[in-house]
Amino acid sequence: MTTLQASAQNQLRQLIEQIERLEEEKKNLGGDIRDKFAEAKALGFDVKVLRQVIRLRKKSKVELQEEELILATYMHALGMIDSLPRTASTDTMMDAAE
Amino acid sequence: MTTLQASAQNQLRQLIEQIERLEEEKKNLGGDIRDKFAEAKALGFDVKVLRQVIRLRKKSKVELQEEELILATYMHALGMIDSLPRTASTDTMMDAAE
Amino acid sequence: MTTLQASAQNQLRQLIEQIERLEEEKKNLGGDIRDKFAEAKALGFDVKVLRQVIRLRKKSKVELQEEELILATYMHALGMIDSLPRTASTDTMMDAAE
Amino acid sequence: MTTLQASAQNQLRQLIEQIERLEEEKKNLGGDIRDKFAEAKALGFDVKVLRQVIRLRKKSKVELQEEELILATYMHALGMIDSLPRTASTDTMMDAAE
């Protein structure tokens, strides 16, 4: 039938309350993160670039250089930047790769 | 090397322009959908419920009734609704299931 | 110039490390929530309906009943359900509203 | 009462069918875009960088250079890159700005 047994009812209630607590904490952390970005903005930092930096910090230096090189190649092919290579570090990497 | 060949350059440019065109169309459709909801709201319809209806219309009647029955069971177990069963159609289904 | 002063450099580093820490915690909570839903599923609960229950628990009983009534009205108008009213509790509310 | 008048019922049905049609088209475009990226990948392009290029193409050259400069400044302050300036074009811009 459609009425849950007392034990299942307790499980359900506990699970839901635990999930609600976790979601509340997660929401609060989301608020804390927004506050930090607001603080950064108030100090004069560029929030969009900060987000980009945080994303890039998850990658290794080698990954970063490789992506940068591919990006420069594509942007050059599309006429978005004038000259190749874009970066000294890219240069070095290309020499090393020869 | 880092300079793409002319053929790859053309492929790249074509792919990017095609994707940009598709994304532009997708964005416009997003705007059209928002306009429709705004029109619905102006006519007095409840937009949140409309979204729910559209989600529910993707399900079959049987799926709908099953979900409704589970939902009522859980809500009852949590004291969110007073009585069971919630719906006449659920009744019928339950009879049929006996 | 483009080199940040030592104080700005420290601020930047601190902000980024704080944000990264908060994002890490947020990500972990996301994992904990997924684990809870997996646990619920293993116990035989319907995860999709659980999510719905959690969403509905944020609303008051009156809000719930009002939305339910509008939903039933729209679903009836579209031929998605056969009869009105759908619920006993809705009945009561409608009597009260007369 | 909770039964919609025939005219409202027609409006509701029309709106919902129009929205469903628009959402269907939007979903199809999403599929077309995914196909294009798959095609690009099959041709040997780096999909992640392609997405980045598409995002960057929405900006003007000046915006791009400014963001690049701020990014390099932050990355340098955090020890993510060794030297400044990163790019020849950034150099030029900085000279021009003097």
Side-chain angles (χ1 to χ4, degrees), chain A residues 2 9 13 69 73 77-78 84, chain B residues 2 9 13 69 73 77-78:
Chain A
T2 58
Q9 212 159 320
R13 183 175 294 280
L69 181 57
T73 304
L78 296 161
L84 265 177
Chain B
T2 58
Q9 213 159 319
R13 183 175 295 281
L69 182 57
T73 304
L78 296 162

Side-chain angles (χ1 to χ4, degrees), chain A residues 11 13 38-39 56 58 62 65 76-77 79-80 84 88 97-98:
Chain A
Q11 280 180 332
R13 183 175 294 280
E39 188 186 331
L56 295 177
K58 298 194 177 101
V62 170
Q65 283 178 340
H76 179 64
M80 295 165 74
L84 265 177
E98 277 174 358

Side-chain angles (χ1 to χ4, degrees), chain A residues 56-71 87 89-94 96-97, chain D residues 46 48-49 75 79-82 86:
Chain A
L56 295 177
R57 265 164 67 95
K58 298 194 177 101
K59 300 175 195 262
S60 70
K61 260 192 185 177
V62 170
E63 278 178 297
L64 274 185
Q65 283 178 340
E66 281 171 1
E67 271 196 33
E68 176 78 359
L69 181 57
I70 302 172
L71 180 61
T87 68
S89 51
T90 300
D91 259 342
T92 317
M93 192 179 73
M94 285 159 57
Chain D
D46 183 311
K48 210 153 56 172
V49 176
M75 288 175 82
M80 296 166 72
I81 49 173
D82 299 327
R86 278 170 98 204

Side-chain angles (χ1 to χ4, degrees), chain C residues 29-63:
Chain C
L29 281 169
D32 292 348
I33 292 167
R34 267 194 304 280
D35 289 349
K36 275 291 151 207
F37 277 115
E39 188 186 331
K41 191 179 177 177
L43 288 166
F45 293 107
D46 183 311
V47 165
K48 210 154 56 172
V49 177
L50 278 188
R51 290 191 193 277
Q52 206 176 337
V53 167
I54 289 168
R55 206 165 48 236
L56 295 177
R57 265 165 67 95
K58 298 194 177 101
K59 300 177 196 260
S60 72
K61 261 193 185 178
V62 170
E63 278 178 298

Side-chain angles (χ1 to χ4, degrees), chain C residues 4-5 9 15 24-25 29 33 39-40 42-43 47-48 57-58 61 64 68 73 81 85 93 95 98:
Chain C
L4 294 183
Q5 291 188 317
Q9 213 160 317
L15 282 164
E24 183 67 21
E25 287 178 51
L29 281 169
I33 292 167
E39 188 186 331
L43 288 166
V47 165
K48 210 154 56 172
R57 265 165 67 95
K58 298 194 177 101
K61 261 193 185 178
L64 274 184
E68 178 76 359
T73 305
I81 50 175
M93 191 180 74
D95 292 343
E98 275 173 1

Side-chain angles (χ1 to χ4, degrees), chain A residues 37 49-59, chain C residues 15-16 19-20 23, chain D residues 78 80:
Chain A
F37 277 115
V49 177
L50 277 188
R51 289 189 194 279
Q52 206 176 338
V53 166
I54 289 168
R55 205 165 47 236
L56 295 177
R57 265 164 67 95
K58 298 194 177 101
K59 300 175 195 262
Chain C
L15 282 164
I16 292 217
I19 291 169
E20 283 177 341
E23 286 188 342
Chain D
L78 296 162
M80 296 166 72

